[in-house]
Amino acid sequence: MLLFLVPLFDSLRNDRLIAVFLSLLTLGFILRELDVEKFDVPNILILVGSGKGRNFLLGSGLLLTLLTALFRFRYYLSLSRCFLRNGSGIATLFAGLFLIVGDMFEKIDIPYHVLYEESLELIGYAVLLLAASKLARREVKSDTFIR
């Protein structure tokens, strides 16, 4: 998540909204895996990190990101196409594929299904880390330049 936040500190980058979206997505993955209510943390963190508070936090963050993208829809549509052809975007898609397939193993009852699920999720998160490091190092450039 922190690597996805790196582009936000460079005001000259035009792909910061993609970084914000992927940071929120990663925060959702973290909060999904952690049971915040079992930790000895302040109640406000438990409220924000679990249940309806988590859903509100992630939903409002994703909604604000979407509304921001709608103001410059053509630019962000072009940028998202470039992102999906970029190495970082391809790695993100593969990470998502591993996470989805890993989640499928949670729902089926075969021997060692938990091993398969956790292994695929671990691979997915490692590939997502690769995507984050690529995005942190190199800006995604759009075909059209609108500032």
Side-chain angles (χ1 to χ4, degrees):
M1 185 177 93
L2 296 177
L3 277 175
F4 279 131
L5 290 174
V6 167
L8 297 180
F9 297 108
D10 185 0
S11 63
L12 299 176
R13 286 184 70 156
N14 293 316
D15 63 345
R16 290 180 290 170
L17 195 63
I18 290 175
V20 168
F21 173 76
L22 292 172
S23 297
L24 285 169
L25 186 66
T26 309
L27 177 63
F29 291 149
I30 291 169
L31 293 176
R32 180 181 152 255
E33 293 291 331
L34 289 179
D35 292 329
V36 180
E37 57 273 354
K38 293 182 181 177
F39 292 124
D40 187 24
V41 293
N43 286 336
I44 188 72
L45 291 178
I46 293 172
L47 178 69
V48 171
S50 66
K52 291 181 182 180
R54 174 191 63 210
N55 296 343
F56 178 76
L57 173 73
L58 296 174
S60 61
L62 291 174
L63 182 66
L64 286 173
T65 305
L66 177 67
L67 290 175
T68 304
L70 287 177
F71 283 115
R72 293 175 52 195
F73 180 75
R74 286 186 180 167
Y75 174 73
Y76 284 114
L77 182 64
S78 173
L79 187 66
S80 64
R81 287 180 185 151
C82 292
F83 174 72
L84 293 176
R85 289 180 289 189
N86 189 331
S88 180
I90 292 169
T92 304
L93 288 176
F94 273 111
L97 184 66
F98 278 111
L99 292 171
I100 289 169
V101 172
D103 188 54
M104 288 179 186
F105 276 98
E106 185 176 17
K107 295 168 179 58
I108 59 175
D109 189 27
I110 61 171
Y112 306 111
H113 71 279
V114 176
L115 173 67
Y116 299 136
E117 173 204 351
E118 297 298 332
S119 298
L120 288 168
E121 285 182 356
L122 181 62
I123 293 169
Y125 290 137
V127 174
L128 193 63
L129 180 62
L130 173 70
S133 75
K134 286 179 177 277
L135 188 66
R137 286 182 281 136
R138 192 167 298 125
E139 178 180 5
V140 176
K141 302 239 186 217
S142 175
D143 295 335
T144 60
F145 181 75
I146 302 171
R147 191 107 181 160

mmCIF file of all heavy atoms in Angstrom, residues 76-123:
data_model
loop_
_atom_site.group_PDB
_atom_site.id
_atom_site.type_symbol
_atom_site.label_atom_id
_atom_site.label_comp_id
_atom_site.label_asym_id
_atom_site.label_seq_id
_atom_site.Cartn_x
_atom_site.Cartn_y
_atom_site.Cartn_z
ATOM 1 N N TYR A 76 -8.697 10.098 -18.169
ATOM 2 C CA TYR A 76 -8.496 8.915 -17.333
ATOM 3 C C TYR A 76 -8.865 7.629 -18.052
ATOM 4 O O TYR A 76 -8.312 6.573 -17.738
ATOM 5 C CB TYR A 76 -9.240 9.046 -16.002
ATOM 6 C CG TYR A 76 -8.521 9.981 -15.067
ATOM 7 C CD1 TYR A 76 -9.078 11.179 -14.676
ATOM 8 C CD2 TYR A 76 -7.245 9.675 -14.606
ATOM 9 C CE1 TYR A 76 -8.399 12.042 -13.834
ATOM 10 C CE2 TYR A 76 -6.556 10.533 -13.773
ATOM 11 C CZ TYR A 76 -7.142 11.720 -13.393
ATOM 12 O OH TYR A 76 -6.451 12.566 -12.578
ATOM 13 N N LEU A 77 -9.763 7.686 -19.016
ATOM 14 C CA LEU A 77 -10.042 6.516 -19.841
ATOM 15 C C LEU A 77 -8.807 6.160 -20.670
ATOM 16 O O LEU A 77 -8.401 4.993 -20.738
ATOM 17 C CB LEU A 77 -11.249 6.773 -20.745
ATOM 18 C CG LEU A 77 -11.675 5.611 -21.624
ATOM 19 C CD1 LEU A 77 -12.143 4.446 -20.767
ATOM 20 C CD2 LEU A 77 -12.778 6.060 -22.574
ATOM 21 N N SER A 78 -8.194 7.165 -21.257
ATOM 22 C CA SER A 78 -6.971 6.947 -22.033
ATOM 23 C C SER A 78 -5.833 6.462 -21.128
ATOM 24 O O SER A 78 -5.087 5.549 -21.480
ATOM 25 C CB SER A 78 -6.572 8.237 -22.736
ATOM 26 O OG SER A 78 -5.324 8.114 -23.350
ATOM 27 N N LEU A 79 -5.730 7.071 -19.947
ATOM 28 C CA LEU A 79 -4.679 6.674 -19.009
ATOM 29 C C LEU A 79 -4.881 5.248 -18.520
ATOM 30 O O LEU A 79 -3.914 4.487 -18.387
ATOM 31 C CB LEU A 79 -4.650 7.638 -17.822
ATOM 32 C CG LEU A 79 -3.502 7.467 -16.839
ATOM 33 C CD1 LEU A 79 -2.181 7.802 -17.522
ATOM 34 C CD2 LEU A 79 -3.700 8.350 -15.626
ATOM 35 N N SER A 80 -6.130 4.856 -18.291
ATOM 36 C CA SER A 80 -6.380 3.480 -17.829
ATOM 37 C C SER A 80 -6.048 2.474 -18.922
ATOM 38 O O SER A 80 -5.548 1.383 -18.632
ATOM 39 C CB SER A 80 -7.813 3.319 -17.351
ATOM 40 O OG SER A 80 -8.712 3.511 -18.420
ATOM 41 N N ARG A 81 -6.303 2.822 -20.177
ATOM 42 C CA ARG A 81 -5.908 1.926 -21.273
ATOM 43 C C ARG A 81 -4.386 1.773 -21.316
ATOM 44 O O ARG A 81 -3.876 0.663 -21.508
ATOM 45 C CB ARG A 81 -6.407 2.469 -22.607
ATOM 46 C CG ARG A 81 -7.883 2.320 -22.797
ATOM 47 C CD ARG A 81 -8.309 2.883 -24.125
ATOM 48 N NE ARG A 81 -9.746 2.850 -24.253
ATOM 49 C CZ ARG A 81 -10.440 3.712 -24.965
ATOM 50 N NH1 ARG A 81 -9.832 4.669 -25.637
ATOM 51 N NH2 ARG A 81 -11.741 3.612 -25.034
ATOM 52 N N CYS A 82 -3.679 2.876 -21.152
ATOM 53 C CA CYS A 82 -2.215 2.810 -21.138
ATOM 54 C C CYS A 82 -1.720 2.017 -19.934
ATOM 55 O O CYS A 82 -0.738 1.271 -20.033
ATOM 56 C CB CYS A 82 -1.616 4.209 -21.125
ATOM 57 S SG CYS A 82 -1.894 5.110 -22.651
ATOM 58 N N PHE A 83 -2.395 2.179 -18.794
ATOM 59 C CA PHE A 83 -2.011 1.444 -17.595
ATOM 60 C C PHE A 83 -2.158 -0.060 -17.803
ATOM 61 O O PHE A 83 -1.298 -0.841 -17.398
ATOM 62 C CB PHE A 83 -2.851 1.901 -16.401
ATOM 63 C CG PHE A 83 -2.624 1.102 -15.157
ATOM 64 C CD1 PHE A 83 -1.455 1.227 -14.440
ATOM 65 C CD2 PHE A 83 -3.588 0.218 -14.694
ATOM 66 C CE1 PHE A 83 -1.240 0.489 -13.286
ATOM 67 C CE2 PHE A 83 -3.386 -0.521 -13.553
ATOM 68 C CZ PHE A 83 -2.207 -0.378 -12.846
ATOM 69 N N LEU A 84 -3.247 -0.471 -18.445
ATOM 70 C CA LEU A 84 -3.473 -1.898 -18.652
ATOM 71 C C LEU A 84 -2.500 -2.512 -19.647
ATOM 72 O O LEU A 84 -2.296 -3.724 -19.646
ATOM 73 C CB LEU A 84 -4.918 -2.142 -19.095
ATOM 74 C CG LEU A 84 -5.966 -1.840 -18.030
ATOM 75 C CD1 LEU A 84 -7.358 -2.006 -18.593
ATOM 76 C CD2 LEU A 84 -5.771 -2.704 -16.797
ATOM 77 N N ARG A 85 -1.875 -1.696 -20.493
ATOM 78 C CA ARG A 85 -0.851 -2.190 -21.411
ATOM 79 C C ARG A 85 0.542 -2.085 -20.814
ATOM 80 O O ARG A 85 1.493 -2.654 -21.345
ATOM 81 C CB ARG A 85 -0.887 -1.408 -22.719
ATOM 82 C CG ARG A 85 -2.105 -1.723 -23.548
ATOM 83 C CD ARG A 85 -2.074 -0.931 -24.800
ATOM 84 N NE ARG A 85 -2.331 0.463 -24.418
ATOM 85 C CZ ARG A 85 -2.553 1.449 -25.261
ATOM 86 N NH1 ARG A 85 -2.510 1.234 -26.533
ATOM 87 N NH2 ARG A 85 -2.802 2.661 -24.829
ATOM 88 N N ASN A 86 0.660 -1.368 -19.719
ATOM 89 C CA ASN A 86 1.927 -1.150 -19.040
ATOM 90 C C ASN A 86 2.276 -2.384 -18.193
ATOM 91 O O ASN A 86 1.412 -3.167 -17.830
ATOM 92 C CB ASN A 86 1.749 0.082 -18.138
ATOM 93 C CG ASN A 86 3.010 0.575 -17.516
ATOM 94 O OD1 ASN A 86 3.926 -0.185 -17.275
ATOM 95 N ND2 ASN A 86 3.041 1.866 -17.254
ATOM 96 N N GLY A 87 3.559 -2.551 -17.878
ATOM 97 C CA GLY A 87 3.983 -3.682 -17.048
ATOM 98 C C GLY A 87 3.317 -3.688 -15.684
ATOM 99 O O GLY A 87 2.968 -4.740 -15.147
ATOM 100 N N SER A 88 3.128 -2.517 -15.110
ATOM 101 C CA SER A 88 2.477 -2.425 -13.806
ATOM 102 C C SER A 88 1.022 -2.853 -13.891
ATOM 103 O O SER A 88 0.506 -3.544 -13.010
ATOM 104 C CB SER A 88 2.584 -0.987 -13.295
ATOM 105 O OG SER A 88 1.979 -0.860 -12.052
ATOM 106 N N GLY A 89 0.342 -2.460 -14.943
ATOM 107 C CA GLY A 89 -1.055 -2.841 -15.119
ATOM 108 C C GLY A 89 -1.222 -4.327 -15.366
ATOM 109 O O GLY A 89 -2.137 -4.957 -14.831
ATOM 110 N N ILE A 90 -0.337 -4.887 -16.169
ATOM 111 C CA ILE A 90 -0.390 -6.328 -16.436
ATOM 112 C C ILE A 90 -0.140 -7.113 -15.152
ATOM 113 O O ILE A 90 -0.828 -8.086 -14.863
ATOM 114 C CB ILE A 90 0.614 -6.704 -17.545
ATOM 115 C CG1 ILE A 90 0.154 -6.093 -18.874
ATOM 116 C CG2 ILE A 90 0.767 -8.212 -17.665
ATOM 117 C CD1 ILE A 90 1.185 -6.166 -19.979
ATOM 118 N N ALA A 91 0.837 -6.650 -14.364
ATOM 119 C CA ALA A 91 1.115 -7.315 -13.088
ATOM 120 C C ALA A 91 -0.082 -7.201 -12.144
ATOM 121 O O ALA A 91 -0.414 -8.162 -11.437
ATOM 122 C CB ALA A 91 2.363 -6.718 -12.440
ATOM 123 N N THR A 92 -0.757 -6.060 -12.158
ATOM 124 C CA THR A 92 -1.947 -5.882 -11.321
ATOM 125 C C THR A 92 -3.057 -6.840 -11.737
ATOM 126 O O THR A 92 -3.740 -7.429 -10.895
ATOM 127 C CB THR A 92 -2.438 -4.427 -11.384
ATOM 128 O OG1 THR A 92 -1.374 -3.556 -10.993
ATOM 129 C CG2 THR A 92 -3.628 -4.210 -10.476
ATOM 130 N N LEU A 93 -3.239 -7.004 -13.046
ATOM 131 C CA LEU A 93 -4.260 -7.945 -13.530
ATOM 132 C C LEU A 93 -3.931 -9.382 -13.141
ATOM 133 O O LEU A 93 -4.816 -10.137 -12.726
ATOM 134 C CB LEU A 93 -4.400 -7.829 -15.046
ATOM 135 C CG LEU A 93 -5.068 -6.557 -15.553
ATOM 136 C CD1 LEU A 93 -5.049 -6.515 -17.074
ATOM 137 C CD2 LEU A 93 -6.485 -6.446 -15.037
ATOM 138 N N PHE A 94 -2.667 -9.770 -13.254
ATOM 139 C CA PHE A 94 -2.277 -11.121 -12.842
ATOM 140 C C PHE A 94 -2.453 -11.308 -11.342
ATOM 141 O O PHE A 94 -2.879 -12.379 -10.890
ATOM 142 C CB PHE A 94 -0.834 -11.435 -13.255
ATOM 143 C CG PHE A 94 -0.718 -11.973 -14.643
ATOM 144 C CD1 PHE A 94 -0.133 -11.223 -15.646
ATOM 145 C CD2 PHE A 94 -1.194 -13.232 -14.958
ATOM 146 C CE1 PHE A 94 -0.035 -11.707 -16.936
ATOM 147 C CE2 PHE A 94 -1.105 -13.743 -16.230
ATOM 148 C CZ PHE A 94 -0.523 -12.973 -17.232
ATOM 149 N N ALA A 95 -2.140 -10.275 -10.560
ATOM 150 C CA ALA A 95 -2.340 -10.366 -9.112
ATOM 151 C C ALA A 95 -3.813 -10.577 -8.804
ATOM 152 O O ALA A 95 -4.175 -11.418 -7.973
ATOM 153 C CB ALA A 95 -1.833 -9.096 -8.433
ATOM 154 N N GLY A 96 -4.669 -9.831 -9.478
ATOM 155 C CA GLY A 96 -6.110 -10.001 -9.293
ATOM 156 C C GLY A 96 -6.578 -11.387 -9.674
ATOM 157 O O GLY A 96 -7.428 -11.977 -9.002
ATOM 158 N N LEU A 97 -6.016 -11.923 -10.740
ATOM 159 C CA LEU A 97 -6.375 -13.273 -11.170
ATOM 160 C C LEU A 97 -6.006 -14.305 -10.107
ATOM 161 O O LEU A 97 -6.818 -15.179 -9.761
ATOM 162 C CB LEU A 97 -5.676 -13.599 -12.491
ATOM 163 C CG LEU A 97 -6.010 -14.930 -13.123
ATOM 164 C CD1 LEU A 97 -7.463 -14.949 -13.567
ATOM 165 C CD2 LEU A 97 -5.095 -15.190 -14.302
ATOM 166 N N PHE A 98 -4.797 -14.193 -9.552
ATOM 167 C CA PHE A 98 -4.390 -15.115 -8.481
ATOM 168 C C PHE A 98 -5.294 -14.979 -7.257
ATOM 169 O O PHE A 98 -5.655 -15.978 -6.634
ATOM 170 C CB PHE A 98 -2.931 -14.870 -8.081
ATOM 171 C CG PHE A 98 -1.931 -15.539 -8.970
ATOM 172 C CD1 PHE A 98 -1.118 -14.789 -9.801
ATOM 173 C CD2 PHE A 98 -1.791 -16.913 -8.984
ATOM 174 C CE1 PHE A 98 -0.186 -15.397 -10.632
ATOM 175 C CE2 PHE A 98 -0.876 -17.539 -9.796
ATOM 176 C CZ PHE A 98 -0.071 -16.771 -10.626
ATOM 177 N N LEU A 99 -5.663 -13.740 -6.908
ATOM 178 C CA LEU A 99 -6.517 -13.537 -5.739
ATOM 179 C C LEU A 99 -7.922 -14.093 -5.958
ATOM 180 O O LEU A 99 -8.509 -14.683 -5.047
ATOM 181 C CB LEU A 99 -6.577 -12.049 -5.394
ATOM 182 C CG LEU A 99 -5.271 -11.459 -4.874
ATOM 183 C CD1 LEU A 99 -5.372 -9.948 -4.764
ATOM 184 C CD2 LEU A 99 -4.882 -12.066 -3.543
ATOM 185 N N ILE A 100 -8.440 -13.944 -7.152
ATOM 186 C CA ILE A 100 -9.777 -14.474 -7.445
ATOM 187 C C ILE A 100 -9.776 -16.000 -7.432
ATOM 188 O O ILE A 100 -10.657 -16.634 -6.837
ATOM 189 C CB ILE A 100 -10.290 -13.931 -8.795
ATOM 190 C CG1 ILE A 100 -10.622 -12.450 -8.651
ATOM 191 C CG2 ILE A 100 -11.508 -14.702 -9.279
ATOM 192 C CD1 ILE A 100 -10.878 -11.743 -9.965
ATOM 193 N N VAL A 101 -8.773 -16.604 -8.059
ATOM 194 C CA VAL A 101 -8.694 -18.064 -8.077
ATOM 195 C C VAL A 101 -8.466 -18.592 -6.658
ATOM 196 O O VAL A 101 -9.049 -19.598 -6.258
ATOM 197 C CB VAL A 101 -7.601 -18.550 -9.054
ATOM 198 C CG1 VAL A 101 -7.383 -20.044 -8.939
ATOM 199 C CG2 VAL A 101 -7.966 -18.178 -10.479
ATOM 200 N N GLY A 102 -7.629 -17.896 -5.880
ATOM 201 C CA GLY A 102 -7.412 -18.299 -4.496
ATOM 202 C C GLY A 102 -8.681 -18.230 -3.678
ATOM 203 O O GLY A 102 -8.946 -19.106 -2.846
ATOM 204 N N ASP A 103 -9.496 -17.213 -3.921
ATOM 205 C CA ASP A 103 -10.762 -17.089 -3.207
ATOM 206 C C ASP A 103 -11.726 -18.208 -3.578
ATOM 207 O O ASP A 103 -12.536 -18.642 -2.759
ATOM 208 C CB ASP A 103 -11.391 -15.724 -3.504
ATOM 209 C CG ASP A 103 -12.603 -15.467 -2.643
ATOM 210 O OD1 ASP A 103 -12.481 -15.559 -1.408
ATOM 211 O OD2 ASP A 103 -13.676 -15.184 -3.207
ATOM 212 N N MET A 104 -11.642 -18.700 -4.804
ATOM 213 C CA MET A 104 -12.505 -19.811 -5.224
ATOM 214 C C MET A 104 -12.204 -21.078 -4.435
ATOM 215 O O MET A 104 -13.107 -21.875 -4.159
ATOM 216 C CB MET A 104 -12.334 -20.084 -6.720
ATOM 217 C CG MET A 104 -12.936 -19.044 -7.605
ATOM 218 S SD MET A 104 -12.629 -19.481 -9.305
ATOM 219 C CE MET A 104 -13.247 -18.052 -10.131
ATOM 220 N N PHE A 105 -10.939 -21.274 -4.075
ATOM 221 C CA PHE A 105 -10.580 -22.469 -3.311
ATOM 222 C C PHE A 105 -11.133 -22.423 -1.893
ATOM 223 O O PHE A 105 -11.252 -23.454 -1.243
ATOM 224 C CB PHE A 105 -9.056 -22.659 -3.273
ATOM 225 C CG PHE A 105 -8.520 -23.358 -4.479
ATOM 226 C CD1 PHE A 105 -7.959 -22.642 -5.525
ATOM 227 C CD2 PHE A 105 -8.595 -24.728 -4.584
ATOM 228 C CE1 PHE A 105 -7.460 -23.283 -6.642
ATOM 229 C CE2 PHE A 105 -8.115 -25.384 -5.692
ATOM 230 C CZ PHE A 105 -7.549 -24.659 -6.729
ATOM 231 N N GLU A 106 -11.470 -21.232 -1.398
ATOM 232 C CA GLU A 106 -12.058 -21.113 -0.073
ATOM 233 C C GLU A 106 -13.468 -21.706 -0.049
ATOM 234 O O GLU A 106 -13.927 -22.207 0.971
ATOM 235 C CB GLU A 106 -12.107 -19.637 0.335
ATOM 236 C CG GLU A 106 -12.580 -19.405 1.738
ATOM 237 C CD GLU A 106 -12.517 -17.948 2.134
ATOM 238 O OE1 GLU A 106 -12.413 -17.087 1.247
ATOM 239 O OE2 GLU A 106 -12.556 -17.692 3.340
ATOM 240 N N LYS A 107 -14.134 -21.684 -1.188
ATOM 241 C CA LYS A 107 -15.533 -22.097 -1.256
ATOM 242 C C LYS A 107 -15.735 -23.567 -1.641
ATOM 243 O O LYS A 107 -16.841 -24.065 -1.565
ATOM 244 C CB LYS A 107 -16.268 -21.202 -2.249
ATOM 245 C CG LYS A 107 -16.326 -19.754 -1.783
ATOM 246 C CD LYS A 107 -16.796 -18.839 -2.889
ATOM 247 C CE LYS A 107 -16.895 -17.407 -2.470
ATOM 248 N NZ LYS A 107 -15.686 -16.811 -1.983
ATOM 249 N N ILE A 108 -14.676 -24.240 -2.094
ATOM 250 C CA ILE A 108 -14.831 -25.639 -2.485
ATOM 251 C C ILE A 108 -14.199 -26.542 -1.434
ATOM 252 O O ILE A 108 -13.304 -26.122 -0.702
ATOM 253 C CB ILE A 108 -14.225 -25.915 -3.880
ATOM 254 C CG1 ILE A 108 -12.741 -25.581 -3.906
ATOM 255 C CG2 ILE A 108 -14.960 -25.143 -4.948
ATOM 256 C CD1 ILE A 108 -12.064 -25.940 -5.219
ATOM 257 N N ASP A 109 -14.679 -27.747 -1.358
ATOM 258 C CA ASP A 109 -14.199 -28.674 -0.326
ATOM 259 C C ASP A 109 -13.411 -29.796 -0.993
ATOM 260 O O ASP A 109 -13.978 -30.817 -1.400
ATOM 261 C CB ASP A 109 -15.390 -29.228 0.460
ATOM 262 C CG ASP A 109 -14.928 -30.019 1.669
ATOM 263 O OD1 ASP A 109 -13.831 -29.731 2.189
ATOM 264 O OD2 ASP A 109 -15.662 -30.938 2.086
ATOM 265 N N ILE A 110 -12.106 -29.565 -1.134
ATOM 266 C CA ILE A 110 -11.189 -30.581 -1.637
ATOM 267 C C ILE A 110 -10.058 -30.700 -0.629
ATOM 268 O O ILE A 110 -9.870 -29.808 0.201
ATOM 269 C CB ILE A 110 -10.642 -30.228 -3.042
ATOM 270 C CG1 ILE A 110 -9.869 -28.913 -2.996
ATOM 271 C CG2 ILE A 110 -11.757 -30.177 -4.068
ATOM 272 C CD1 ILE A 110 -9.122 -28.593 -4.273
ATOM 273 N N PRO A 111 -9.313 -31.785 -0.657
ATOM 274 C CA PRO A 111 -8.186 -31.897 0.274
ATOM 275 C C PRO A 111 -7.194 -30.757 0.062
ATOM 276 O O PRO A 111 -6.889 -30.386 -1.077
ATOM 277 C CB PRO A 111 -7.556 -33.245 -0.079
ATOM 278 C CG PRO A 111 -8.640 -34.008 -0.768
ATOM 279 C CD PRO A 111 -9.499 -33.001 -1.453
ATOM 280 N N TYR A 112 -6.731 -30.187 1.139
ATOM 281 C CA TYR A 112 -5.730 -29.112 1.157
ATOM 282 C C TYR A 112 -6.218 -27.827 0.485
ATOM 283 O O TYR A 112 -5.422 -27.047 -0.025
ATOM 284 C CB TYR A 112 -4.421 -29.575 0.498
ATOM 285 C CG TYR A 112 -3.862 -30.840 1.083
ATOM 286 C CD1 TYR A 112 -3.860 -32.013 0.344
ATOM 287 C CD2 TYR A 112 -3.367 -30.866 2.368
ATOM 288 C CE1 TYR A 112 -3.369 -33.186 0.871
ATOM 289 C CE2 TYR A 112 -2.864 -32.034 2.912
ATOM 290 C CZ TYR A 112 -2.866 -33.194 2.158
ATOM 291 O OH TYR A 112 -2.381 -34.351 2.690
ATOM 292 N N HIS A 113 -7.529 -27.591 0.499
ATOM 293 C CA HIS A 113 -8.035 -26.384 -0.156
ATOM 294 C C HIS A 113 -7.524 -25.110 0.501
ATOM 295 O O HIS A 113 -7.312 -24.109 -0.172
ATOM 296 C CB HIS A 113 -9.571 -26.396 -0.220
ATOM 297 C CG HIS A 113 -10.246 -26.187 1.091
ATOM 298 N ND1 HIS A 113 -10.414 -27.199 1.992
ATOM 299 C CD2 HIS A 113 -10.790 -25.088 1.637
ATOM 300 C CE1 HIS A 113 -11.038 -26.739 3.062
ATOM 301 N NE2 HIS A 113 -11.276 -25.463 2.873
ATOM 302 N N VAL A 114 -7.281 -25.141 1.796
ATOM 303 C CA VAL A 114 -6.755 -23.960 2.484
ATOM 304 C C VAL A 114 -5.321 -23.671 2.031
ATOM 305 O O VAL A 114 -4.943 -22.511 1.837
ATOM 306 C CB VAL A 114 -6.832 -24.137 4.013
ATOM 307 C CG1 VAL A 114 -6.192 -22.968 4.743
ATOM 308 C CG2 VAL A 114 -8.269 -24.313 4.463
ATOM 309 N N LEU A 115 -4.543 -24.732 1.819
ATOM 310 C CA LEU A 115 -3.174 -24.561 1.313
ATOM 311 C C LEU A 115 -3.187 -23.900 -0.058
ATOM 312 O O LEU A 115 -2.429 -22.964 -0.310
ATOM 313 C CB LEU A 115 -2.463 -25.907 1.235
ATOM 314 C CG LEU A 115 -1.084 -25.893 0.575
ATOM 315 C CD1 LEU A 115 -0.088 -25.117 1.422
ATOM 316 C CD2 LEU A 115 -0.604 -27.305 0.314
ATOM 317 N N TYR A 116 -4.052 -24.365 -0.941
ATOM 318 C CA TYR A 116 -4.135 -23.785 -2.284
ATOM 319 C C TYR A 116 -4.602 -22.338 -2.223
ATOM 320 O O TYR A 116 -4.065 -21.463 -2.905
ATOM 321 C CB TYR A 116 -5.086 -24.595 -3.168
ATOM 322 C CG TYR A 116 -4.659 -26.026 -3.366
ATOM 323 C CD1 TYR A 116 -5.575 -27.061 -3.271
ATOM 324 C CD2 TYR A 116 -3.331 -26.354 -3.641
ATOM 325 C CE1 TYR A 116 -5.195 -28.376 -3.456
ATOM 326 C CE2 TYR A 116 -2.943 -27.666 -3.817
ATOM 327 C CZ TYR A 116 -3.873 -28.674 -3.723
ATOM 328 O OH TYR A 116 -3.490 -29.980 -3.903
ATOM 329 N N GLU A 117 -5.604 -22.103 -1.391
ATOM 330 C CA GLU A 117 -6.143 -20.748 -1.263
ATOM 331 C C GLU A 117 -5.067 -19.770 -0.784
ATOM 332 O O GLU A 117 -4.829 -18.737 -1.404
ATOM 333 C CB GLU A 117 -7.313 -20.738 -0.279
ATOM 334 C CG GLU A 117 -7.817 -19.348 0.032
ATOM 335 C CD GLU A 117 -8.543 -19.262 1.368
ATOM 336 O OE1 GLU A 117 -8.808 -20.301 1.994
ATOM 337 O OE2 GLU A 117 -8.827 -18.128 1.768
ATOM 338 N N GLU A 118 -4.420 -20.114 0.317
ATOM 339 C CA GLU A 118 -3.421 -19.214 0.891
ATOM 340 C C GLU A 118 -2.197 -19.065 -0.014
ATOM 341 O O GLU A 118 -1.619 -17.990 -0.106
ATOM 342 C CB GLU A 118 -3.009 -19.693 2.288
ATOM 343 C CG GLU A 118 -4.133 -19.684 3.298
ATOM 344 C CD GLU A 118 -4.715 -18.297 3.568
ATOM 345 O OE1 GLU A 118 -3.988 -17.287 3.424
ATOM 346 O OE2 GLU A 118 -5.907 -18.224 3.919
ATOM 347 N N SER A 119 -1.799 -20.147 -0.687
ATOM 348 C CA SER A 119 -0.655 -20.069 -1.602
ATOM 349 C C SER A 119 -0.942 -19.152 -2.779
ATOM 350 O O SER A 119 -0.109 -18.318 -3.155
ATOM 351 C CB SER A 119 -0.278 -21.459 -2.119
ATOM 352 O OG SER A 119 0.105 -22.298 -1.062
ATOM 353 N N LEU A 120 -2.124 -19.297 -3.362
ATOM 354 C CA LEU A 120 -2.484 -18.432 -4.479
ATOM 355 C C LEU A 120 -2.633 -16.981 -4.047
ATOM 356 O O LEU A 120 -2.233 -16.057 -4.774
ATOM 357 C CB LEU A 120 -3.766 -18.938 -5.141
ATOM 358 C CG LEU A 120 -3.612 -20.228 -5.941
ATOM 359 C CD1 LEU A 120 -4.970 -20.800 -6.295
ATOM 360 C CD2 LEU A 120 -2.781 -19.991 -7.185
ATOM 361 N N GLU A 121 -3.185 -16.743 -2.866
ATOM 362 C CA GLU A 121 -3.283 -15.377 -2.364
ATOM 363 C C GLU A 121 -1.902 -14.785 -2.100
ATOM 364 O O GLU A 121 -1.655 -13.617 -2.403
ATOM 365 C CB GLU A 121 -4.128 -15.325 -1.096
ATOM 366 C CG GLU A 121 -5.609 -15.463 -1.360
ATOM 367 C CD GLU A 121 -6.443 -15.367 -0.097
ATOM 368 O OE1 GLU A 121 -5.877 -15.269 1.016
ATOM 369 O OE2 GLU A 121 -7.684 -15.398 -0.221
ATOM 370 N N LEU A 122 -0.994 -15.579 -1.560
ATOM 371 C CA LEU A 122 0.366 -15.100 -1.317
ATOM 372 C C LEU A 122 1.060 -14.728 -2.627
ATOM 373 O O LEU A 122 1.705 -13.682 -2.724
ATOM 374 C CB LEU A 122 1.182 -16.158 -0.570
ATOM 375 C CG LEU A 122 2.623 -15.782 -0.229
ATOM 376 C CD1 LEU A 122 2.645 -14.582 0.704
ATOM 377 C CD2 LEU A 122 3.339 -16.956 0.391
ATOM 378 N N ILE A 123 0.901 -15.562 -3.643
ATOM 379 C CA ILE A 123 1.470 -15.253 -4.953
ATOM 380 C C ILE A 123 0.832 -13.975 -5.509
ATOM 381 O O ILE A 123 1.518 -13.099 -6.046
ATOM 382 C CB ILE A 123 1.285 -16.436 -5.922
ATOM 383 C CG1 ILE A 123 2.123 -17.626 -5.465
ATOM 384 C CG2 ILE A 123 1.649 -16.043 -7.347
ATOM 385 C CD1 ILE A 123 1.802 -18.919 -6.194
#
